[in-house]
Amino acid sequence: MADKKKLFEAIDSVADVISGVNDEVWEYAEVYFAETKSARALIKVAEKFGFETESGIAGIPTAFVSKWGTKGPKIGILAEYDALDALNQKCGVAVREASDGHTESQPGHGCGHNSLGAASLGAAIGLKKYCEENGVDAQIYYFGCPAEENGSGKVFMARDGYFSDMDICITWHPGSTNGVQGHSSLACISVKYKFYGVASHAAAVPYLGRSALDAAELMHMGVNVLREHIIPEARVHYSFLNAGGTAPNVVQDYACTYFFVRAPKVKQALEILERVDRCARGAAEMTGTTVEIIHMDGLADFVPNEPLSKVMEEAMNEVEMPVYTDEEIAMAKAYTDTIPARDLADARRKAAKDAGVDVSHYDNVYLDDLIEPYKHNPDFHQPGSTDVGDVSYCAPTAQFRFATVVIGTPGHSWQMTGQGATSYCHKGVIAASKVLALTALKCIENPQLIEKAKAAYHKDCPEGYICPTAPDFMPDLGQY
């Protein structure tokens, strides 16, 4: 049986290392596909503790996998480490202020991915130490996954088969509450439509022109009519990347429009995409123009694995919640005071409802100290999209949230950045490492749990991975 005391001791023994790499990646704050220093920092620590690394996987310089072990179950632990534009913030300062030597317009870790990567690394190291010291067979894969915020790094790794032979994949996300995710996310596919026409003088000889702008506008009209005839849960968004120029007396010979197609299931999104493509071809036909359709990256919906998620919930409840100092509580209160009263009240009501307690529990609680019971609800789709969904189509996958910031902290905010290297964030990171490692160890030492997770995966994903990204599409790394 898993000796969680020994496992937790193994993680505690490297807590300073994990907190250090958390802060190092926080300082680098590199955006999608440019996470060179961040990836190198994580790899350096992994290799120091005996992992072998393959870098530049799936054609992405900042993607990697660090491996240990040659036999036993294959455990995939996912890491992220990309930052967001224009969210630089000084650590531990509860007013809007850029960190030393920077401006607010520079990148910052406004989604906590520095902590995500650090805790996952702590889990991988702690699990390896435990397996070595106790003669447990396991193969640990620490996946460095870049560009979650924009660029969808996991999609290209999934398309190249890096997750397909994992027995389980586990991950987490920093947040303001604690719980295992039992709901899904929306599949999302991006595509560009480039229309080519014939330019002419719009006053003198407009009849000689063929307007690419007319074609793009007709396509938009067609898509707006299409909305009535697709499932109500679907979403189709668009914007102009190029409307043909600024001169109204020219028949525009080029226009480019950019679409997102979202739906609860990736197959649904692909079916709707075909109809959107027809709108583009029809518009080109009507205007005597031509259209180039560029299918780009896409994200599958997240498929929560119920048996694995329940193991993760059990692990969460076996990890002690962090204990905070008076100084940490004071800092947490200062950040809480920056959140608008109505937003804070809504966040506390939701946290209480999810945890099954009265909202009064949170009257003087700034950092969540409860774990909400697991609710398996794959038919509920959060409105956003994530490339963890692509992993979930390749192998049984589970993920959880753990509090590293105060209740009510908005995602993608300066408040999130400012708390990302605090001492109370470090405590959340170490606790998250223990949840990941214990989830993995429970599965390693009880193969029946893995078989149950695989059975659920095959039931939920009978066709395996349906990649929504065009087979020949690769990210244009130069633009990042």
Side-chain angles (χ1 to χ4, degrees):
M1 295 292 292
D3 187 335
K4 64 181 181 183
K5 183 174 183 293
K6 289 183 178 179
L7 177 65
F8 295 167
E9 287 173 351
I11 293 171
D12 287 335
S13 72
V14 295
D16 289 346
V17 174
I18 299 310
S19 296
V21 78
N22 175 91
D23 295 358
E24 184 177 356
V25 174
W26 184 90
E27 288 280 357
Y28 294 142
E30 298 166 304
V31 296
Y32 45 95
F33 296 130
E35 315 96 326
T36 306
K37 294 178 182 177
S38 302
R40 189 181 302 131
L42 295 166
I43 290 169
K44 182 180 178 181
V45 174
E47 291 183 340
K48 175 183 176 182
F49 285 92
F51 286 77
E52 295 183 358
T53 301
E54 178 186 358
S55 298
I57 64 176
I60 302 172
T62 55
F64 66 88
V65 56
S66 296
K67 313 172 193 175
W68 175 85
T70 58
K71 56 184 178 178
K74 292 184 176 180
I75 309 298
I77 303 176
L78 311 182
E80 297 169 14
Y81 34 88
D82 58 318
L84 286 156
D85 284 322
L87 284 177
N88 191 276
Q89 171 67 24
K90 182 175 284 189
C91 179
V93 175
V95 294
R96 188 71 166 107
E97 181 181 344
S99 58
D100 295 342
H102 295 82
T103 65
E104 294 174 2
S105 63
Q106 289 181 286
H109 272 286
C111 205
H113 290 180
N114 61 305
S115 298
L116 200 168
S120 294
L121 180 56
I125 293 169
L127 185 60
K128 170 187 175 289
K129 286 168 70 72
Y130 178 92
C131 291
E132 281 182 320
E133 293 168 4
N134 294 276
V136 176
D137 290 334
Q139 300 176 73
I140 304 169
Y141 290 72
Y142 173 66
F143 286 105
C145 308
E148 191 277 337
E149 295 292 356
N150 191 350
S152 310
K154 296 183 194 71
V155 173
F156 303 101
M157 297 164 72
R159 191 177 65 183
D160 283 5
Y162 280 93
F163 307 114
S164 296
D165 62 347
M166 294 295 108
D167 288 299
I168 62 168
C169 286
I170 52 177
T171 190
W172 78 294
H173 204 289
S176 60
T177 57
N178 309 301
V180 180
Q181 181 174 327
H183 58 266
S184 186
S185 60
L186 294 175
C188 181
I189 304 171
S190 62
V191 56
K192 289 180 182 177
Y193 299 92
K194 295 183 176 182
F195 291 93
Y196 301 93
V198 178
S200 67
H201 195 291
V205 284
Y207 48 85
L208 296 180
R210 299 292 181 267
S211 174
L213 180 56
D214 285 353
E217 290 181 310
L218 280 170
M219 181 200 171
H220 290 182
M221 292 171 63
V223 171
N224 286 329
V225 171
L226 174 65
R227 293 179 196 276
E228 183 183 359
H229 307 288
I230 60 177
I231 56 174
E233 299 85 1
R235 300 287 184 269
V236 182
H237 329 287
Y238 59 76
S239 66
F240 268 108
L241 296 184
N242 189 312
T246 59
N249 62 337
V250 174
V251 174
Q252 310 296 352
D253 64 350
Y254 175 73
C256 179
T257 186
Y258 185 29
F259 275 70
F260 279 5
V261 177
R262 299 186 199 259
K265 290 293 179 183
V266 65
K267 286 187 70 175
Q268 295 169 328
L270 288 166
E271 289 166 1
I272 295 168
L273 177 64
E274 289 183 12
R275 300 175 73 183
V276 174
D277 286 351
R278 291 194 198 109
C279 290
R281 296 189 186 100
E285 183 70 22
M286 285 189 287
T287 54
T289 60
T290 59
V291 61
E292 179 186 3
I293 301 175
I294 304 173
H295 292 151
M296 301 169 63
D297 56 316
L299 303 171
D301 49 293
F302 173 65
V303 182
N305 186 280
E306 186 172 14
L308 183 58
S309 296
K310 288 182 175 178
V311 175
M312 184 172 275
E313 178 192 33
E314 183 179 273
M316 283 196 82
N317 282 287
E318 293 181 29
V319 173
E320 290 186 5
M321 298 300 291
V323 176
Y324 304 106
T325 65
D326 291 343
E327 291 79 8
E328 288 168 339
I329 292 171
M331 183 184 295
K333 183 181 184 304
Y335 272 100
T336 300
D337 290 343
T338 71
I339 300 168
R342 186 171 64 178
D343 294 348
L344 179 61
D346 286 345
R348 285 175 166 167
R349 277 194 295 268
K350 185 178 186 308
K353 180 181 177 182
D354 290 342
V357 299
D358 189 84
V359 69
S360 61
H361 172 84
Y362 290 106
D363 286 348
N364 296 299
V365 172
Y366 308 108
L367 292 151
D368 196 11
D369 58 352
L370 299 177
I371 299 169
E372 67 183 63
Y374 178 70
K375 303 178 188 71
H376 189 67
N377 189 12
D379 293 330
F380 173 75
H381 296 78
Q382 67 181 25
S385 305
T386 173
D387 58 7
V388 177
D390 292 79
V391 181
S392 73
Y393 268 84
C394 298
T397 303
Q399 60 180 336
F400 68 95
R401 304 178 317 281
F402 204 92
T404 58
V405 296
V406 301
I407 296 168
T409 299
H412 294 200
S413 67
W414 66 264
Q415 291 99 326
M416 189 82 179
T417 304
Q419 296 173 81
T422 60
S423 59
Y424 61 73
C425 174
H426 294 163
K427 291 179 178 178
V429 165
I430 300 306
S433 293
K434 293 175 179 178
V435 174
L436 287 168
L438 184 56
T439 302
L441 185 57
K442 285 176 179 287
C443 292
I444 291 166
E445 296 197 335
N446 189 348
Q448 287 186 338
L449 295 177
I450 293 177
E451 293 308 311
K452 288 180 181 179
K454 286 184 173 180
Y457 162 75
H458 290 300
K459 176 179 174 290
D460 295 336
C461 305
E463 298 177 59
Y465 182 41
I466 303 169
C467 184
T469 296
D472 58 348
F473 178 78
M474 285 297 294
D476 182 0
L477 303 176
Q479 71 177 305
Y480 304 111

